[in-house]
Amino acid sequence: MRRVAQVIRVRPEKLAEYRRLHEEVWPAVLDRIRRANIRNYSIHLRDDLLFSYFEYHGTDLEADLAAMAEDPTTQEWWRLTDPCQRPLATAEPGQWWAPAEQVFLMEE
Protein backbone atom coordinates (compact mmCIF):
# COMPACT_ATOMS: atom_id res chain seq x y z
CA MET A 1 0.00 0.00 0.00
CA ARG A 2 1.24 3.47 -0.88
CA ARG A 3 0.13 6.61 0.96
CA VAL A 4 -0.46 9.69 -1.16
CA ALA A 5 -0.89 13.21 0.25
CA GLN A 6 -1.47 16.28 -1.89
CA VAL A 7 -2.32 19.96 -1.46
CA ILE A 8 -4.05 22.64 -3.50
CA ARG A 9 -5.76 25.92 -2.73
CA VAL A 10 -9.49 26.43 -2.84
CA ARG A 11 -10.70 29.71 -4.28
CA PRO A 12 -12.40 31.46 -1.33
CA GLU A 13 -15.27 32.67 -3.51
CA LYS A 14 -15.88 29.05 -4.60
CA LEU A 15 -15.64 27.38 -1.18
CA ALA A 16 -19.39 27.04 -0.67
CA GLU A 17 -19.76 25.45 -4.10
CA TYR A 18 -16.85 23.08 -3.46
CA ARG A 19 -18.38 22.01 -0.16
CA ARG A 20 -21.78 21.52 -1.80
CA LEU A 21 -20.31 19.36 -4.55
CA HIS A 22 -18.57 17.14 -2.01
CA GLU A 23 -21.68 16.68 0.14
CA GLU A 24 -22.98 14.32 -2.53
CA VAL A 25 -20.15 13.07 -4.73
CA TRP A 26 -21.59 11.26 -7.73
CA PRO A 27 -21.66 7.48 -7.25
CA ALA A 28 -19.99 6.94 -10.65
CA VAL A 29 -17.08 9.16 -9.55
CA LEU A 30 -16.68 7.21 -6.31
CA ASP A 31 -16.84 3.94 -8.23
CA ARG A 32 -14.12 5.11 -10.64
CA ILE A 33 -11.90 6.11 -7.72
CA ARG A 34 -12.35 2.64 -6.21
CA ARG A 35 -11.55 0.98 -9.56
CA ALA A 36 -8.31 3.00 -9.56
CA ASN A 37 -7.30 1.04 -6.44
CA ILE A 38 -7.72 4.07 -4.18
CA ARG A 39 -8.99 3.55 -0.65
CA ASN A 40 -9.50 5.74 2.44
CA TYR A 41 -9.61 8.93 0.37
CA SER A 42 -10.27 12.14 2.28
CA ILE A 43 -9.99 15.88 1.67
CA HIS A 44 -9.42 18.30 4.54
CA LEU A 45 -9.64 22.09 4.64
CA ARG A 46 -7.67 24.69 6.58
CA ASP A 47 -8.08 28.34 5.63
CA ASP A 48 -7.85 28.16 1.82
CA LEU A 49 -5.68 25.03 1.71
CA LEU A 50 -7.12 21.65 0.73
CA PHE A 51 -5.17 18.60 1.85
CA SER A 52 -6.02 15.21 0.36
CA TYR A 53 -4.92 11.79 1.51
CA PHE A 54 -5.53 8.36 0.06
CA GLU A 55 -4.11 4.89 0.16
CA TYR A 56 -3.21 3.27 -3.14
CA HIS A 57 -3.50 -0.51 -3.29
CA GLY A 58 -2.53 -1.16 -6.90
CA THR A 59 0.73 -1.69 -8.75
CA ASP A 60 0.80 1.27 -11.18
CA LEU A 61 -0.55 4.50 -9.72
CA GLU A 62 0.25 6.56 -12.82
CA ALA A 63 -1.66 4.15 -15.09
CA ASP A 64 -4.63 4.00 -12.72
CA LEU A 65 -4.75 7.80 -12.48
CA ALA A 66 -4.49 8.09 -16.27
CA ALA A 67 -7.41 5.67 -16.71
CA MET A 68 -9.43 7.69 -14.22
CA ALA A 69 -8.60 10.90 -16.12
CA GLU A 70 -9.91 9.35 -19.35
CA ASP A 71 -13.29 8.56 -17.79
CA PRO A 72 -15.99 10.90 -19.18
CA THR A 73 -17.90 11.12 -15.89
CA THR A 74 -14.73 11.98 -14.00
CA GLN A 75 -13.94 14.64 -16.60
CA GLU A 76 -17.41 16.11 -16.13
CA TRP A 77 -16.90 16.11 -12.34
CA TRP A 78 -13.56 17.87 -12.73
CA ARG A 79 -15.20 20.52 -14.95
CA LEU A 80 -17.24 21.41 -11.86
CA THR A 81 -14.54 21.11 -9.20
CA ASP A 82 -11.48 22.48 -11.04
CA PRO A 83 -12.76 26.08 -11.16
CA CYS A 84 -12.99 25.93 -7.36
CA GLN A 85 -9.28 25.15 -7.02
CA ARG A 86 -6.01 26.96 -7.59
CA PRO A 87 -2.64 25.16 -7.73
CA LEU A 88 0.03 26.20 -5.27
CA ALA A 89 2.60 28.70 -6.50
CA THR A 90 5.25 26.03 -5.81
CA ALA A 91 3.54 23.37 -7.94
CA GLU A 92 5.45 22.07 -10.94
CA PRO A 93 4.31 23.32 -14.37
CA GLY A 94 1.13 21.50 -15.36
CA GLN A 95 0.70 20.05 -11.86
CA TRP A 96 -2.74 20.50 -10.30
CA TRP A 97 -2.66 18.89 -6.83
CA ALA A 98 0.92 19.17 -5.53
CA PRO A 99 2.37 16.13 -3.74
CA ALA A 100 3.21 16.51 -0.06
CA GLU A 101 6.22 14.75 1.40
CA GLN A 102 5.67 12.41 4.32
CA VAL A 103 8.00 13.42 7.15
CA PHE A 104 6.53 11.28 9.91
CA LEU A 105 4.44 8.14 10.27
CA MET A 106 3.27 6.32 13.35
CA GLU A 107 1.47 3.07 12.72
CA GLU A 108 -0.46 1.16 15.37
Side-chain angles (χ1 to χ4, degrees):
M1 185 266 297
R2 175 177 167 186
R3 293 175 177 83
V4 178
Q6 303 171 310
V7 292
I8 197 167
R9 298 214 177 273
V10 65
R11 295 179 185 279
E13 70 277 11
K14 297 280 193 171
L15 179 56
E17 180 179 352
Y18 192 81
R19 284 181 183 272
R20 181 187 57 76
L21 287 166
H22 285 83
E23 286 173 3
E24 293 186 33
V25 177
W26 302 343
V29 169
L30 296 174
D31 180 60
R32 188 65 195 97
I33 291 170
R34 287 183 188 101
R35 287 187 290 124
N37 298 301
I38 292 172
R39 306 289 178 268
N40 298 318
Y41 183 26
S42 61
I43 300 174
H44 307 263
L45 173 68
R46 175 67 185 215
D47 300 323
D48 70 341
L49 190 66
L50 294 170
F51 170 83
S52 77
Y53 169 84
F54 62 84
E55 295 168 353
Y56 178 68
H57 291 266
T59 58
D60 190 342
L61 177 60
E62 289 71 28
D64 280 334
L65 293 178
M68 190 165 58
E70 292 174 5
D71 176 64
T73 303
T74 299
Q75 291 173 3
E76 186 178 344
W77 176 256
W78 288 347
R79 278 192 288 279
L80 297 174
T81 59
D82 283 3
C84 300
Q85 302 167 334
R86 180 172 48 93
L88 299 182
T90 56
E92 297 293 325
Q95 193 174 55
W96 198 247
W97 283 83
E101 176 187 2
Q102 179 177 298
V103 295
F104 175 77
L105 171 66
M106 186 196 102
E107 291 187 305
E108 301 195 38

